[in-house]
Amino acid sequence: MKKDKGKIIAVTSTTGGVGKTITTLNLAGSYHLLGYKVLIIDFDLFGGDIALSLNLKCDKTIFNLVLDLSNNRYEKVEDYIYKYNDNIDIISAPKDPRQANKIDSKYIPLILDSVLYKYDAILIDTTHVLNETNIILFDNSDNILVLFSNDLYSLKNTRTFISILKDANYTNYFTVLNESILGRNYYNSYDMRTIIKSNIDFTIPKTLHISKIDKIISSGQIPILLNNKKDNKHYELIAKKLIEEVSKWEKHFLSYLK
């Protein structure tokens, strides 16, 4: 059993359609390639697609986990974890969105504590709605990735969200511009920084656009594990930065990306 404390990383956004789930999957793939054990917890409770994207049939979901905790039927967290490969496991979102409202957020810290020493990284895919569940997730995360795209709605909402994070004294967030969604290229980098009133910490470049993403996802595969491009270095650097294992050369590269 792993003895070191893992890092909890929440992946969020302020609008849908910016590649949040694909980014979560690709980060998990990067940790796999780096030899780290990673758990994805799908806290997009009303529409989570992690299990669907990985072609995993999960008889028990996070709804069952919370239900069993609240009714003293819980024995061990492994009963709700499903394996994708040797390094990647998942806890699935509810199968029925009506179950989402029945999940008591007070159990979130307990769930996270139960897996904290079993994995190097715990990736949390969140909804893009700032609700009580997300706030508790952010409070319990080591790092928060705020994903956005190059269009006015995403930039405007990201600016508001960053302002809220600052007002709440969060300092552990990173902004991620996803340029791999083609057709969204309205502003230059200076204009985007001006709009969101923040630096852009990471960029997922256009070269990582996946033209057959639907086919890849429907086959249950993680895109980055099929991709041998050198551009995958971007995901690897983000993944390593989030668990603080970046070399001097990589820090220089990250600085250059900004």
Side-chain angles (χ1 to χ4, degrees), residues 49-67:
D49 290 327
I50 293 294
L52 179 65
S53 299
L54 298 179
N55 270 356
L56 288 177
K57 181 181 179 182
C58 301
D59 295 323
K60 293 183 177 182
T61 71
I62 200 161
F63 168 73
N64 302 105
L65 173 52
V66 171
L67 186 66

Side-chain angles (χ1 to χ4, degrees), residues 7 11-12 68 79 82 85 98 104 117 132 134 153 158 196 200 215 234 241 255:
K7 289 295 182 71
V11 183
T12 194
D68 289 349
D79 293 336
Y82 292 82
N85 63 21
R98 290 173 294 184
D104 193 333
Y117 290 90
E132 180 185 4
N134 271 6
Y153 294 115
T158 299
I196 68 174
I200 299 172
K215 182 177 181 180
H234 290 80
K241 174 65 176 177
S255 176

Side-chain angles (χ1 to χ4, degrees), residues 93-140:
K95 297 178 182 179
D96 188 329
R98 290 173 294 184
Q99 296 174 338
N101 287 323
K102 299 178 182 179
I103 294 177
D104 193 333
S105 56
K106 73 179 182 182
Y107 291 103
I108 291 175
L110 182 60
I111 294 169
L112 296 177
D113 284 344
S114 70
V115 298
L116 199 53
Y117 290 90
K118 300 178 186 294
Y119 296 91
D120 299 295
I122 297 99
L123 293 174
I124 301 175
D125 192 14
T126 73
T127 180
H128 58 268
V129 178
L130 186 58
N131 54 20
E132 180 185 4
T133 296
N134 271 6
I135 291 171
I136 293 176
L137 288 170
F138 297 155
D139 283 343
N140 286 273

Side-chain angles (χ1 to χ4, degrees), residues 158-175:
T158 299
R159 177 183 64 201
T160 302
F161 182 60
I162 290 174
S163 177
I164 292 171
L165 290 177
K166 289 179 178 178
D167 289 344
N169 295 318
Y170 287 103
T171 59
N172 58 333
Y173 64 89
F174 296 90
T175 56

